[in-house]
Amino acid sequence: MYLIQQDVLSVEDADDAVSYGPGLRWGVMGPSLQWHLGGGPGGIQHFMEHLMEPLAGMMKALGTRTSRPISSGRSSTA
C-alpha cells in the first residue's frame, strides 16, 4: 500500500509482483519456512542472525502508515 500511495507502482504492478514473485512460493510454503530454507544449514537462526538487522532497517525506512483503510461504502445501520 505504501508504494502505491507513493506512486512507486500501480495496484496492478503490486498484484503482479506478488502473483509472479513470492506468491508462487507462498502457495507451497509460508514465509517462515522460506526463511528457514534461506538460512542454509543454519536454518532460520542463521537467517535471523545475518539478515534481521538489515531487514529491520528497511522496515524502519518505510515509515509509519498514515492512511486510513478505504471504506466499503456500506452503511452500518443494521
Side-chain angles (χ1 to χ4, degrees):
M1 292 302 298
Y2 176 82
L3 294 175
I4 294 167
Q5 290 172 338
Q6 298 300 312
D7 292 323
V8 173
L9 70 157
S10 69
V11 171
E12 293 81 13
D13 291 336
D15 284 347
D16 286 346
V18 173
S19 295
Y20 299 109
L24 295 172
R25 291 184 298 276
W26 286 353
V28 178
M29 61 183 130
S32 295
L33 179 55
Q34 289 182 37
W35 289 6
H36 180 72
L37 296 174
I44 198 166
Q45 182 69 34
H46 179 74
F47 182 94
M48 294 295 179
E49 289 170 355
H50 293 282
L51 296 174
M52 273 319 288
E53 188 173 339
L55 287 173
M58 286 188 283
M59 295 302 287
K60 185 176 181 182
L62 290 175
T64 304
R65 184 181 137 189
T66 58
S67 65
R68 288 183 230 148
I70 298 171
S71 171
S72 67
R74 295 182 183 176
S75 172
S76 61
T77 58

